[in-house]
Amino acid sequence: MTGARGQYLSALGIRRWRQRAPRADAGQPPATDSSAGAAARPGPAPRPEVPTATHAGVERLGWEELAERVPACTACELHRSRHNTVFGTGDVRADWLFVGEAPGAEEDRTGEPFVGRAGQLLTAMLAALDLERGQVYIANVLKCRPPENRDPMGDEVACCEPYLHRQVTLIEPRMIIALGRFAAQSLLKSSEPISRLRGRVHRYGPYDCPLVVTYHPAYLLRNPAEKRKTWADLCLARENLG
Ligand code: URA
């Protein structure tokens, strides 16, 4: 494996990669997964209704108005501890939309998604697909950082959901990649473990955009042996661009 692509694949921990012939059970979730311990954590708590006063008309906003509305949002308690909202970044007409969980400390400081160590790995994942960050759109389920990076709570997800939903509608991506258990369960409104959600193509939103689930880059930093599965997920996504 040589050249730039080889270097990116190697950053993903993949020394030699060959596309496998489709399995007889293709489309079915794998029966077992070594990450089941991490994946078996409970899903997001049930969501209360979105406070409609704060979100009135979000579904009709254009990009500029939306980008102004998010930093002014006080719909949930996270606005009290944030330094910056993290709206999202990239090409607003991108084919690919990558959705993470929530900003971390670096993202809260800079207002940009995926700028820490996990972000560097995400950049390598994109490069392995011959994509640069500016060619895709990157956003999170939550626009504000949960204190101490704790798991987002149900009411926080409910409050933020209209913003991401509007971004998806405006971008009209041809593929959404849900990064990690939390983004996957939130977008798909599922409590299934990530081991059962990855490995197949789901649908999201008003026009049934294809959605593929893979591991969060932060999880891959802790579990590099799973990078191979992530590469398989990204290839599945590339084959199923809507
Ligand atoms: N993790 C996420 O899920 N999103 C970010 O923006 C950074 C880290």
Side-chain angles (χ1 to χ4, degrees):
M1 202 163 51
T2 54
R5 185 181 187 78
Q7 283 172 24
Y8 298 131
L9 286 171
S10 141
L12 273 176
I14 294 157
R15 287 203 182 71
R16 204 184 291 167
W17 182 82
R18 198 160 36 87
Q19 178 117 34
R20 282 200 205 137
R23 295 185 325 200
D25 64 345
Q28 298 303 315
T32 57
D33 193 294
S34 58
S35 73
R41 291 153 72 200
R47 294 165 206 187
E49 287 300 304
V50 175
T52 45
T54 350
H55 288 90
V58 166
E59 71 286 356
R60 288 189 298 277
L61 297 181
W63 275 112
E64 279 186 26
E65 299 154 303
L66 191 62
E68 283 169 13
R69 183 76 75 93
V70 168
C73 182
T74 55
C76 79
E77 289 299 302
L78 293 182
H79 78 276
R80 297 189 193 281
S81 51
R82 74 177 177 222
H83 293 99
N84 287 293
T85 52
V86 179
F87 181 74
T89 188
D91 181 355
V92 295
R93 302 296 302 167
D95 286 343
W96 294 77
L97 169 62
F98 288 77
V99 180
E101 176 174 326
E106 271 298 283
E107 291 77 19
D108 176 60
R109 195 176 62 74
T110 58
E112 291 278 315
F114 283 98
V115 288
R117 278 186 69 222
Q120 287 167 19
L121 182 54
L122 177 60
T123 305
M125 288 160 62
L126 297 179
L129 288 167
D130 285 326
L131 293 169
E132 290 175 13
R133 282 175 74 110
Q135 291 176 282
V136 304
Y137 200 87
I138 304 173
N140 283 306
V141 173
L142 290 194
K143 309 294 186 211
C144 294
R145 181 191 183 206
E148 311 302 328
N149 296 343
R150 65 156 168 73
D151 279 356
M153 299 204 289
D155 65 320
E156 296 158 357
V157 176
C159 288
C160 243
E161 198 167 47
Y163 299 133
L164 181 61
H165 198 265
R166 185 64 188 148
Q167 286 175 305
V168 175
T169 308
L170 288 168
I171 296 168
E172 291 188 319
R174 293 168 62 198
M175 175 58 66
I176 299 173
I177 304 292
L179 296 166
R181 172 191 71 92
F182 186 84
Q185 291 179 339
S186 299
L187 290 170
L188 298 173
K189 302 206 187 309
S190 166
S191 55
E192 284 201 80
I194 190 166
S195 55
R196 294 185 63 81
L197 291 173
R198 54 173 295 280
R200 56 193 159 121
V201 181
H202 304 266
R203 300 277 157 182
Y204 174 85
Y207 65 98
D208 281 345
C209 181
L211 183 153
V212 166
V213 173
T214 195
Y215 293 113
H216 193 287
Y219 173 80
L220 295 175
L221 289 173
R222 297 191 302 273
N223 300 276
E226 303 290 42
K227 287 178 179 175
R228 184 172 287 272
K229 290 187 194 162
T230 290
W231 179 237
D233 296 333
L234 295 177
C235 292
L236 174 71
R238 187 168 53 187
E239 285 156 19
N240 286 278
L241 276 188

Coordinates of all heavy atoms in Angstrom, one line a residue, residues 86 99-104 107 112-116 118-119 138-140 179 216 218, ligand 1:
V86 N -21.3 25.3 19.0 CA -20.5 24.7 17.8 C -21.6 24.3 16.8 O -22.3 23.3 16.9 CB -19.7 23.5 18.3 CG1 -19.0 22.8 17.1 CG2 -18.7 23.9 19.4
V99 N -22.0 13.3 11.5 CA -22.6 13.8 12.8 C -22.0 13.1 14.0 O -22.1 11.9 14.1 CB -24.1 13.6 12.7 CG1 -24.8 14.1 14.0 CG2 -24.8 14.2 11.5
G100 N -21.4 14.0 14.9 CA -20.9 13.5 16.1 C -21.8 13.7 17.3 O -23.0 14.0 17.1
E101 N -21.3 13.5 18.5 CA -22.2 13.6 19.7 C -22.4 15.0 20.2 O -23.5 15.6 20.1 CB -21.5 12.7 20.7 CG -22.2 12.7 22.1 CD -21.6 11.7 23.0 OE1 -21.1 10.7 22.6 OE2 -21.6 12.0 24.2
A102 N -21.3 15.6 20.6 CA -21.4 17.0 21.2 C -20.0 17.5 21.3 O -19.0 16.8 21.3 CB -22.0 16.9 22.6
P103 N -19.9 18.9 21.3 CA -18.5 19.4 21.4 C -17.8 19.0 22.7 O -18.4 18.8 23.7 CB -18.8 21.0 21.5 CG -20.3 21.1 21.1 CD -21.0 19.9 21.4
G104 N -16.5 18.9 22.6 CA -15.6 18.6 23.8 C -15.0 20.0 24.2 O -15.4 21.0 23.7
E107 N -13.5 22.1 21.3 CA -14.6 22.6 20.4 C -15.3 23.7 21.0 O -15.7 24.7 20.4 CB -15.5 21.4 20.0 CG -14.9 20.3 19.1 CD -14.0 19.4 19.8 OE1 -14.1 19.3 21.0 OE2 -13.2 18.7 19.1
E112 N -15.5 25.2 16.8 CA -15.4 24.4 15.6 C -15.6 22.9 16.0 O -15.0 22.5 17.0 CB -14.1 24.5 15.0 CG -13.8 25.8 14.3 CD -14.3 25.9 12.9 OE1 -14.2 25.0 12.2 OE2 -15.0 26.9 12.6
P113 N -16.3 22.1 15.2 CA -16.5 20.7 15.6 C -15.2 19.9 15.2 O -14.5 20.2 14.3 CB -17.6 20.2 14.7 CG -17.6 21.1 13.5 CD -17.0 22.5 14.0
F114 N -15.0 18.9 16.0 CA -13.9 17.9 15.8 C -12.6 18.6 15.5 O -12.0 18.4 14.4 CB -14.3 17.0 14.7 CG -15.3 15.9 15.1 CD1 -16.6 16.1 14.9 CD2 -14.9 14.8 15.8 CE1 -17.5 15.1 15.3 CE2 -15.7 13.8 16.2 CZ -17.1 14.0 16.0
V115 N -12.1 19.4 16.5 CA -10.7 20.0 16.3 C -9.7 19.3 17.2 O -8.5 19.6 17.1 CB -10.8 21.5 16.5 CG1 -11.5 22.2 15.4 CG2 -11.4 21.8 17.9
G116 N -10.1 18.5 18.1 CA -9.2 17.8 19.1 C -8.6 16.6 18.4 O -8.6 16.4 17.2
A118 N -9.6 13.5 18.4 CA -10.7 12.8 17.7 C -10.9 13.4 16.3 O -11.1 12.7 15.3 CB -12.0 12.7 18.4
G119 N -10.8 14.7 16.3 CA -11.0 15.4 15.0 C -9.9 15.1 14.0 O -10.1 15.0 12.8
I138 N -19.7 18.8 8.7 CA -19.4 18.1 10.0 C -20.3 18.9 11.1 O -20.2 20.1 11.2 CB -17.9 18.2 10.4 CG1 -17.1 17.5 9.3 CG2 -17.7 17.4 11.7 CD1 -15.6 17.7 9.5
A139 N -21.1 18.1 11.8 CA -21.9 18.7 12.8 C -22.1 17.7 14.0 O -21.5 16.6 13.9 CB -23.3 19.1 12.3
N140 N -22.7 18.2 15.0 CA -23.0 17.3 16.2 C -24.5 17.3 16.5 O -25.2 18.2 16.1 CB -22.3 17.9 17.4 CG -20.8 17.6 17.4 OD1 -20.3 16.5 17.2 ND2 -20.0 18.6 17.5
L179 N -21.5 9.2 13.8 CA -20.3 8.8 14.5 C -20.5 8.4 15.9 O -20.7 9.3 16.8 CB -19.3 10.0 14.4 CG -18.8 10.4 13.0 CD1 -18.2 11.8 13.0 CD2 -17.9 9.3 12.4
H216 N -17.2 6.1 16.8 CA -16.8 7.5 17.1 C -15.2 7.5 17.0 O -14.6 6.6 17.6 CB -17.3 8.0 18.4 CG -17.2 9.5 18.6 ND1 -15.9 10.1 18.8 CD2 -18.1 10.5 18.6 CE1 -16.1 11.4 19.0 NE2 -17.4 11.6 18.8
A218 N -13.2 9.1 18.8 CA -12.6 9.1 20.2 C -12.6 7.6 20.7 O -11.7 7.2 21.3 CB -13.4 9.9 21.1
Ligands
URA1 N1 -16.6 14.6 19.8 C1 -17.8 14.9 19.1 O1 -18.7 14.1 19.1 N2 -17.9 16.0 18.5 C2 -16.9 17.0 18.4 O2 -17.1 18.0 17.8 C3 -15.7 16.7 19.1 C4 -15.6 15.5 19.8

